[in-house]
Amino acid sequence: MSLIPLDPAIRALGRAVVAYPSVTQPLMGCRVRAGFPSPADDHLDVEIDLHAHVVRRPASTYFVRAEGDSMLGDGIHHGDLLVVDRSLEPLPGRVIVVAVDGEPTVKRLECRQERTCLVASNPRFAPIPLEGRECQVWGVVTHVVHELPGIAS
């Protein structure tokens, strides 16, 4: 597999560009428990620029929408926004965007029984062995922006 520049066939939503001035949003000074409720601080500690938080290398980062349900186990749902960094090495265990025989997909890269394959995190999907196939890595997924149900777009 080789890491190549973004293929024009992929419909990226856009490159990660640095916007000046940066847009910041308030960041709460406490964490929000996902378990039992607890009293929350009613103050804001700092401002946060979400773009600066999820994009570490703007020149090599792009955004793309996920399609399908093969990666539900990794929290990637249909329509989610993926942040993809082309400068990161596609190591085993990482979730990558890759074109297999010209078809783009997002899967986890794994080595199984000395063979390289792409693995979905939804058990309904079989692993995709890469031996003998043309593969072009388009980048490593670093973040997922997921909209919760019931929120109108």
Side-chain angles (χ1 to χ4, degrees), residues 106-120:
V106 59
K107 299 286 185 283
R108 188 171 296 281
L109 183 65
E110 288 191 9
C111 292
R112 291 186 170 184
Q113 300 167 346
E114 299 182 26
R115 288 188 163 160
T116 304
C117 58
L118 297 174
V119 179

Side-chain angles (χ1 to χ4, degrees), residues 55-78:
V55 177
R56 293 198 176 91
R57 297 167 196 84
S60 63
T61 301
Y62 66 95
F63 302 95
V64 67
R65 291 263 180 217
E67 186 173 288
D69 62 355
S70 70
M71 297 302 288
L72 288 175
D74 280 301
I76 299 174
H77 298 78
H78 179 81

Side-chain angles (χ1 to χ4, degrees), residues 12-114:
L13 294 178
R15 299 239 181 248
V17 296
V18 178
Y20 294 101
S22 68
V23 177
T24 61
Q25 298 296 321
L27 174 66
M28 292 293 293
C30 67
R31 295 185 184 252
V32 178
R33 293 182 187 257
F36 294 103
S38 70
D41 296 335
D42 286 335
H43 68 280
L44 302 176
D45 261 6
V46 295
E47 296 283 318
I48 184 171
D49 179 345
L50 186 58
H51 189 274
H53 180 72
V54 300
V55 177
R56 293 198 176 91
R57 297 167 196 84
S60 63
T61 301
Y62 66 95
F63 302 95
V64 67
R65 291 263 180 217
E67 186 173 288
D69 62 355
S70 70
M71 297 302 288
L72 288 175
D74 280 301
I76 299 174
H77 298 78
H78 179 81
D80 283 355
L81 184 65
L82 307 179
V83 181
V84 184
D85 189 332
R86 294 180 291 137
S87 72
L88 295 176
E89 189 174 352
L91 299 172
R94 287 185 169 174
V95 174
I96 63 172
V97 175
V98 58
V100 179
D101 297 328
E103 287 294 319
T105 188
V106 59
K107 299 286 185 283
R108 188 171 296 281
L109 183 65
E110 288 191 9
C111 292
R112 291 186 170 184
Q113 300 167 346
E114 299 182 26

Side-chain angles (χ1 to χ4, degrees), residues 4-12 15 86 99 102 136 138:
I4 63 166
L6 185 61
D7 187 310
I10 191 169
R11 291 179 297 166
R15 299 239 181 248
R86 294 180 291 137
Q136 298 172 328
W138 289 352

